[in-house]
Amino acid sequence: SPAKSPTSSPSSSPTRVESYTLQTTYDSDTDNDGCMFDLKSISTTIKIHSLDLHSIYNGLIDVEVYYRRGTYSGRDKHPGAWTTSAMLNGIQGMGQGVSTPLPSNAFNPPIEVLRDMTIGLYVTISNGRYMGLTRSYSNIFSGDIYTSNSEVEMFVGVSKNHLFLHTNPDIIWNGAIHYTALPQDEREKQNSSSSSSSPLQDNVLKWKLATACIIYAVF
């Protein structure tokens, strides 16, 4: 219910966020049920809300998305190490060479990736071998960076047989992730405030230096 004595203005302004996309490729030369790969947030906390994938089947597909804190490597056959983010039936596959989008709010809650955190993502199609993928022939291998922008790094991963079965290395996931983050100017403000010391911290440092000088002079 409304406050009895509402204030004339909000107590604090809402935090601004902007929407971003990081896309790989849709030039596939192989396929499988799914793909595991790592993402790292490099400059700020991000929240992943949805993604596009590459369905080579122009029909209805059932999509499952899992994630884990930390790399997928070493956990690619361990279902208990993963958290389910979405199970979506009846997604319209758009066919070879184009993106198949998931709903804009596919991940509810969104997948939060803190600054400097790496997560593993596992995107899989459960009703057929319909995921278009790309083999890496360019001297980059599973665990190497494939693409990046100012917020996120995406790494070469592996393809998977549904659900946590056989693993094929050196595979580039085809698709795009859609996420929100603080705009650049807000990040700069945060970095500036966190790097600057407060007057109290400055005074404490001066006191410690003065005390050290006195002790040195006495002895």
Side-chain angles (χ1 to χ4, degrees):
S1 60
K4 293 182 179 178
S5 302
T7 57
S8 58
S9 60
S11 57
S12 61
S13 57
T15 303
R16 289 193 302 125
V17 295
E18 291 185 355
S19 297
Y20 301 88
T21 295
L22 180 62
Q23 180 175 305
T24 62
T25 179
Y26 294 99
D27 185 17
S28 68
D29 60 6
T30 188
D31 58 71
N32 209 326
D33 301 321
C35 185
M36 285 183 184
F37 57 96
D38 287 342
L39 286 173
K40 182 178 180 180
S41 179
I42 56 177
S43 63
T44 187
T45 295
I46 68 169
K47 292 184 177 181
I48 305 172
H49 297 266
S50 186
L51 58 80
D52 302 346
L53 55 86
H54 187 186
S55 169
I56 58 176
Y57 175 55
N58 190 5
L60 298 181
I61 59 174
D62 300 331
V63 179
E64 302 172 11
V65 180
Y66 304 86
Y67 74 95
R68 70 179 311 273
R69 307 298 183 192
T71 177
Y72 76 86
S73 182
R75 294 293 183 268
D76 54 302
K77 296 181 180 179
H78 295 74
W82 296 80
T83 298
T84 303
S85 184
M87 301 188 77
L88 305 167
N89 296 331
I91 298 296
Q92 178 62 55
M94 302 306 292
Q96 180 75 39
V98 296
S99 65
T100 292
L102 301 186
S104 60
N105 61 344
F107 307 147
N108 188 16
I111 301 172
E112 184 176 60
V113 189
L114 303 179
R115 180 179 178 180
D116 293 326
M117 174 185 284
T118 296
I119 67 164
L121 271 181
Y122 179 25
V123 186
T124 185
I125 298 173
S126 62
N127 64 326
R129 191 182 173 104
Y130 299 142
M131 185 170 290
L133 302 165
T134 304
R135 286 174 286 197
S136 175
Y137 294 111
S138 55
N139 295 321
I140 56 173
F141 308 100
S142 297
D144 293 339
I145 296 173
Y146 173 69
T147 189
S148 64
N149 58 19
S150 59
E151 296 87 33
V152 184
E153 294 173 339
M154 185 182 294
F155 297 79
V156 180
V158 297
S159 68
K160 293 290 295 180
N161 293 108
H162 191 270
L163 182 56
F164 285 88
L165 300 178
H166 185 68
T167 298
N168 300 293
D170 309 331
I171 297 295
I172 297 165
W173 178 67
N174 288 191
I177 61 165
H178 305 295
Y179 61 94
T180 56
L182 289 175
Q184 188 64 41
D185 60 333
E186 292 291 336
R187 290 178 229 165
E188 292 171 355
K189 289 178 185 177
Q190 283 194 351
N191 292 336
S192 175
S193 62
S194 63
S195 61
S196 61
S197 58
S198 66
L200 177 60
Q201 290 173 320
D202 289 340
N203 290 335
V204 170
L205 179 60
K206 290 176 182 177
W207 179 83
K208 288 181 178 180
L209 289 173
T211 302
C213 291
I214 292 171
I215 294 173
Y216 178 80
V218 169
F219 292 97

